[in-house]
Amino acid sequence: MVRGKFITFEGIDGAGKTTHLDWFRQRLADKLNTGVRKVVMTREPGGTPLGGTLRGILLAQPMDLETEALLMFAARREHLAQVIEPALAQGDWVLSDRFTDATFAYQGGGRGLPRDKLEALERWVQGGFQPDLTVLFDVPTETASERRSAARAPDNFESESETFFERTRAEYLRCAAEAPDRFFIVDSTQSIESIRKRLEEVVASL
Ligand code: TYD
């Protein structure tokens, strides 16, 4: 059995990734269309019953910065063991709404946790495992904040300051510059139609 591919969607809150996720999943499913492999759609924090419980805590409860990073990685360990690894091993493709780049961006860039601590946790939890492809929805923070304010009541992260999101965005872009072969950056100020054209290129490249 050929191993499946692992694809992640990233971006600051309000960057618009959610708008494109379901459409992208469907395009991937059309592409696979062999009847054997399927596309497993999942998200972080979350993706498992335990991860869902941790998500509820992480988004709503105030906590120490290091506790936050540890819980993100604990949820991720469970997600890898229960969902991502078994799916890839049986040839399915996995599409995740956020993964480890989000921890570097939010807990590292946004909150300021030193990168070497996050790298140590990353090695512990996932060894050398990385997504095959990461689509980064990039948008200026002012645009993202306008989009966010139109949405529902903000959670722990959505209520952060503009400068928090500046640092988060900068760290996403640093991650992308460090792994240019893995990242595909989408200019999320573009119209939905032109973003879909870019995403078609992504699907074709897989
Ligand atoms: P998000 O995925 O944007 O869901 P929704 O669209 O329902 O708001 O929300 C998850 C939040 O968790 C988001 O603000 C980013 C944050 N987060 C981290 O801070 N670190 C992480 O490692 C992950 C996976 C998410």
Side-chain angles (χ1 to χ4, degrees):
M1 175 60 80
V2 182
R3 212 176 136 78
K5 287 192 192 292
F6 181 43
I7 299 152
T8 58
F9 269 32
E10 298 282 359
I12 60 172
D13 288 276
K17 69 185 162 52
T18 315
T19 311
H20 299 283
L21 259 174
D22 197 53
W23 178 86
F24 189 82
R25 184 200 58 74
Q26 188 57 55
R27 294 292 300 113
L28 277 187
D30 295 344
K31 183 186 167 89
L32 290 180
N33 200 19
T34 59
V36 181
R37 292 153 175 264
K38 60 181 188 297
V39 180
V40 175
M41 175 101 158
T42 187
R43 70 171 178 181
E44 289 205 354
T48 64
L50 174 61
T53 304
L54 291 173
R55 179 186 178 91
I57 296 168
L58 279 159
L59 297 192
Q61 209 153 291
M63 67 184 75
D64 171 75
L65 161 60
E66 308 220 354
T67 310
E68 185 178 275
L70 288 163
L71 288 183
M72 289 291 179
F73 272 108
R76 182 161 302 131
R77 180 64 224 140
E78 190 70 6
H79 194 202
L80 278 163
Q82 303 296 338
V83 176
I84 301 173
E85 282 294 350
L88 296 177
Q90 69 173 39
D92 291 335
W93 288 31
V94 178
L95 176 58
S96 186
D97 184 353
R98 301 190 185 281
F99 191 62
T100 307
D101 297 309
T103 315
F104 281 96
Y106 280 79
Q107 281 65 51
R111 299 243 197 267
L113 193 67
R115 202 190 306 157
D116 59 339
K117 291 196 173 178
L118 296 175
E119 284 168 348
L121 289 172
E122 180 187 36
R123 266 195 306 281
W124 183 20
V125 164
Q126 63 196 75
F129 177 82
Q130 291 291 337
D132 294 288
L133 178 92
T134 297
V135 183
L136 173 59
F137 290 82
D138 183 54
V139 78
T141 50
E142 311 82 71
T143 314
S145 108
E146 281 160 23
R147 290 181 185 167
R148 279 199 305 279
S149 53
R152 53 190 161 57
D155 62 36
N156 270 354
F157 298 99
E158 290 161 342
S159 54
E160 278 293 344
S161 65
E162 188 98 5
T163 54
F164 173 92
F165 284 108
E166 293 283 3
R167 293 192 301 271
T168 304
R169 181 189 185 203
E171 180 63 12
Y172 266 133
L173 291 170
R174 191 200 61 77
C175 292
E178 204 168 69
D181 293 342
R182 171 164 70 88
F183 273 87
F184 191 96
I185 301 178
V186 169
D187 173 359
S188 211
T189 60
Q190 303 285 304
S191 67
I192 291 183
E193 293 69 36
S194 43
I195 290 175
R196 283 190 179 169
K197 280 210 191 97
R198 291 277 288 151
L199 293 176
E200 286 288 2
E201 291 171 35
V202 177
V203 174
S205 76
L206 283 162

